[in-house]
Amino acid sequence: MGYLIKKQKMSLDAVVSGESYEKCTFLYSSEPLRFDGVSFSSCIFQQEDFSHSDWSNCILNNCQFLNNNFTNSLFFQTKFNKCQLLGADFSNNTWKKVNVIDCKADYCNFSVSKLVGCSFTDTSLLEAYFQELSVRQKLIYTNCQMDGVDFLGTLMKGVDLSRSYFEDLRVAPNLVKGCIIASVQAPIFANLLGVQIKD
């Protein structure tokens, strides 16, 4: 990353590739948003519509995107760390090698997205939507809270749930082949599929 800009109020259009921004407030932009090699830390975004945006090699640290619209966006080698993502809409996205770490992402919508080599770690995903995903090179959830997550329509091959926590998921029985779970999760999964386990 290049220069560090701190505590400034500026337009999103003024963001420069390769620079770092800390505790800045960003005003609205009506232009398509393209960020390359940018770091945002503890920044405030007045913008709510990030649809059709493009994020490449970015770091988003301790930022809030509550109920924001990221539909039809592209994220490449980008990291969300300690961000508030509750209710954010990431549907129809393409994510490649994106990491979501220690975030609050309950009720997020990732439906009809393509996720390539992505991971969620130490993140709350209660009642999030991952419907009709295209998953490649694994999708790994580590130490995530996942009660009520909806995977309907998603081919679960390569989806690793073995190190996360859930009592209830929505999955399509005909699409679970290849999903990775822990042995202690097997009874929960069996129940989801309508299978009874008898002692």
Side-chain angles (χ1 to χ4, degrees):
M1 302 291 177
Y3 291 108
L4 173 62
I5 294 94
K6 298 180 69 173
K7 299 181 179 178
Q8 299 294 313
K9 189 172 185 178
M10 57 196 301
S11 169
L12 270 173
D13 299 325
V15 171
V16 176
S17 295
E19 293 191 344
S20 298
Y21 299 86
E22 182 178 322
K23 296 182 179 178
C24 293
T25 298
F26 292 99
L27 308 178
Y28 295 93
S29 170
S30 58
E31 300 298 320
L33 298 172
R34 303 286 180 268
F35 304 112
D36 186 8
V38 179
S39 174
F40 298 100
S41 184
S42 301
C43 293
I44 296 171
F45 296 85
Q46 294 186 0
Q47 184 101 358
E48 295 179 357
D49 184 2
F50 292 89
S51 61
H52 301 278
S53 57
D54 191 329
W55 308 70
S56 181
N57 299 293
C58 292
I59 297 173
L60 296 142
N61 184 60
N62 197 34
C63 295
Q64 292 195 19
F65 298 102
L66 303 178
N67 297 307
N68 287 174
N69 177 15
F70 289 91
T71 57
N72 300 292
S73 294
L74 171 65
F75 290 83
F76 176 70
Q77 291 186 343
T78 289
K79 180 186 292 185
F80 292 90
N81 184 55
K82 298 184 184 300
C83 289
Q84 295 288 333
L85 304 173
L86 280 84
D89 189 350
F90 293 97
S91 61
N92 289 289
N93 273 210
T94 297
W95 282 24
K96 296 182 179 181
K97 298 182 179 179
V98 175
N99 299 310
V100 179
I101 302 168
D102 197 15
C103 292
K104 191 80 169 173
D106 301 336
Y107 315 111
C108 271
N109 185 8
F110 297 90
S111 297
V112 201
S113 291
K114 180 179 180 181
L115 304 186
V116 182
C118 297
S119 66
F120 292 81
T121 304
D122 298 323
T123 292
S124 182
L125 291 161
L126 301 177
E127 298 190 36
Y129 292 89
F130 290 90
Q131 295 179 340
E132 299 182 38
L133 290 186
S134 172
V135 176
R136 291 176 53 201
Q137 299 176 20
K138 288 194 177 180
L139 172 57
I140 300 173
Y141 299 90
T142 303
N143 198 34
C144 294
Q145 296 290 339
M146 302 184 67
D147 271 334
V149 170
D150 190 338
F151 286 103
L152 290 177
T154 294
L155 181 63
M156 300 295 285
K157 183 178 180 181
V159 177
D160 188 344
L161 305 172
S162 63
R163 289 165 286 179
S164 285
Y165 312 99
F166 54 87
E167 293 294 330
D168 178 51
L169 289 178
R170 297 181 185 92
V171 295
N174 61 319
L175 299 177
V176 297
K177 184 178 180 180
C179 182
I180 303 165
I181 61 173
S183 58
V184 295
Q185 296 169 329
I188 298 172
F189 236 72
N191 185 57
L192 294 174
L193 300 176
V195 176
Q196 293 184 354
I197 299 176
K198 188 174 182 180
D199 294 330

